[in-house]
């Protein structure tokens, strides 16, 4: 039953997105740059362990890698739109810069890894 | 030079310099994650992955997303033209008016494309079709998680003067 796996992915994504934007800005506001670095350590480590090592986000071997970054990306935009009344379209230029140009270069360097 | 570099600001919605720094920052973090993360997990198991979150994501957070202030000016330095000045590579629109674009965007798309181009030429369409529901579920989950988190701004409690 595929829907169970998609629901598992959905749940992992929601937890990861909420954890990132609940903790990261507060840590950085309180402790500055070291707080941000520490936030990466405590959030991403446990979220990676849950989502990718234990496999809450579904990633069958040999298929395309779906990273929890998708969840963090979507959560960052949704969070700012709901919380700060941000205009979603204002994210577009940065999103395009992040997404399009560089990715054509990357596959030439083959890391030969299947677990991230 | 400054005038030349800001020629196309209105057309792009961001200054060309920001486009350059954003692309460079996105490339750096994605490259390091693709090359190092898998290898470290192979070498150290789950400990390697948790180590990576500190030494890769933590370090590149400082490169890509830091804003000025060491606990002193955490809201950023005020810019004469409005908004705040930022020192991170990935461009963010004016605070409060533009959503946050995280470096997770480029890492996720980079890893997705990486595994796409590792696949054989004829099978790539099937690979994409297989992965789309997973990616969609994840983006939906992110929207729900982030949206619900954003709702805390509406509770009306004003404990420490934060919005």
């Amino acid at each position: 039953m595929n829907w169970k796996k998609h629901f598992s992915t959905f749940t992992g994504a929601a937890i990861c997105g909420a954890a990132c934007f609940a903790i990261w800005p507060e840590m950085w506001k309180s402790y500055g740059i070291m707080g941000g670095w520490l936030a990466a350590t405590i959030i991403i480590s446990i979220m990676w362990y849950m989502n990718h090592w234990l496999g809450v986000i579904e990633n069958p071997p040999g298929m395309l890698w779906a990273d929890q970054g998708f969840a963090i990306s979507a959560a960052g935009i949704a969070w700012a739109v709901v919380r700060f009344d941000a205009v979603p379209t204002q994210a577009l230029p940065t999103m395009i810069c992040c997404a399009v140009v560089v990715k054509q270069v990357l596959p030439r360097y083959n890391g030969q890894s299947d677990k991230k | 030079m400054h005038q030349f570099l800001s020629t196309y600001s209105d057309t792009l919605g961001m200054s060309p310099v920001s486009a350059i720094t954003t692309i460079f920052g996105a490339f750096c973090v994605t490259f390091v994650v693709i090359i190092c993360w898998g290898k470290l997990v192979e070498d150290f198991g789950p400990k390697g992955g948790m180590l990576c979150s500190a030494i890769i994501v933590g370090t590149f957070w400082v490169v890509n997303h830091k804003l000025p202030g060491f606990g002193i000016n955490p809201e950023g330095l005020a810019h004469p033209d409005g908004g705040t000045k930022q020192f991170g590579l990935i461009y963010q629109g004016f605070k409060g008016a533009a959503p946050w674009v995280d470096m997770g965007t480029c890492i996720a798309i980079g890893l997705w494309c990486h595994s796409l181009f590792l696949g054989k030429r004829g099978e790539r369409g099937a690979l994409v079709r297989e992965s789309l529901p997973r990616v969609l579920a994840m983006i939906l989950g992110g929207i729900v998680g982030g949206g619900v988190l954003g709702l805390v701004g509406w509770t009306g409690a004003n404990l420490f003067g934060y919005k």
Side-chain angles (χ1 to χ4, degrees):
Chain A
M1 186 62 183
N2 223 2
W3 285 106
K4 279 182 190 166
K5 287 178 173 170
H6 289 327
F7 183 68
S8 159
T9 303
F10 174 86
T11 314
I15 295 172
C16 182
C20 270
F21 291 97
I23 300 169
W24 220 313
E26 310 307 328
M27 287 290 280
W28 157 61
K29 272 192 226 163
S30 308
Y31 304 113
I33 293 198
M34 197 57 212
W37 195 88
L38 203 62
T41 312
I42 59 178
I43 304 164
I44 304 293
S45 64
I46 191 62
M47 284 301 139
W48 173 84
Y49 189 76
M50 183 182 85
N51 285 336
H52 290 322
W53 184 257
L54 300 180
V56 169
I57 285 175
E58 183 63 14
N59 268 310
M63 295 299 177
L64 298 191
W65 187 263
D67 195 76
Q68 58 180 357
F70 282 117
I72 302 175
S73 162
I77 291 170
W79 169 70
V81 167
V82 176
R83 179 87 196 261
F84 302 114
D85 284 334
V87 188
T89 48
Q90 286 215 0
L92 276 179
T94 314
M95 289 284 279
I96 290 165
C97 281
C98 275
V100 180
V101 185
V102 197
K103 307 315 163 215
Q104 306 304 319
V105 192
L106 282 168
R108 308 206 182 285
Y109 303 91
N110 185 349
Q112 290 170 351
S113 49
D114 52 3
K115 195 109 194 171
K116 292 198 182 61
Chain B
M1 189 68 181
H2 183 266
Q3 202 182 3
F4 168 72
L5 284 174
S6 48
T7 309
Y8 300 106
S9 289
D10 291 338
T11 327
L12 295 176
M14 64 201 284
S15 70
V17 184
S18 304
I20 294 169
T21 59
T22 303
I23 290 169
F24 182 70
F27 172 77
C28 287
V29 64
T30 314
F31 190 91
V32 173
V33 165
I34 286 177
I35 299 291
C36 298
W37 200 304
K39 289 286 174 199
L40 271 167
V41 173
E42 276 170 28
D43 287 350
F44 300 109
K47 285 194 232 51
M50 295 174 88
L51 181 72
C52 276
S53 71
I55 60 178
I56 299 179
V57 179
T59 311
F60 275 96
W61 178 84
V62 179
V63 175
N64 283 334
H65 284 322
K66 71 169 180 293
L67 290 160
F70 190 67
I72 299 167
N73 273 322
E75 71 279 4
L77 302 177
H79 195 271
D81 303 330
T84 48
K85 217 173 173 52
Q86 74 165 90
F87 296 145
L89 282 180
I90 288 180
Y91 170 82
Q92 305 292 346
F94 285 156
K95 207 168 154 57
W100 184 262
V101 181
D102 200 82
M103 62 182 178
T105 315
C106 43
I107 298 174
I109 298 173
L111 282 167
W112 193 82
C113 289
H114 177 69
S115 41
L116 174 66
F117 287 107
L118 281 183
K120 292 195 187 65
R121 200 163 276 274
E123 301 167 0
R124 285 177 188 168
L127 284 175
V128 170
R129 268 197 299 283
E130 191 276 335
S131 78
L132 274 185
R134 283 187 286 135
V135 171
L136 214 69
M138 192 134 54
I139 290 174
L140 262 173
I143 289 173
V144 168
V148 170
L149 182 67
L151 291 177
V152 298
W154 296 92
T155 49
N158 190 359
L159 298 179
F160 303 106
Y162 288 120
K163 190 187 168 195

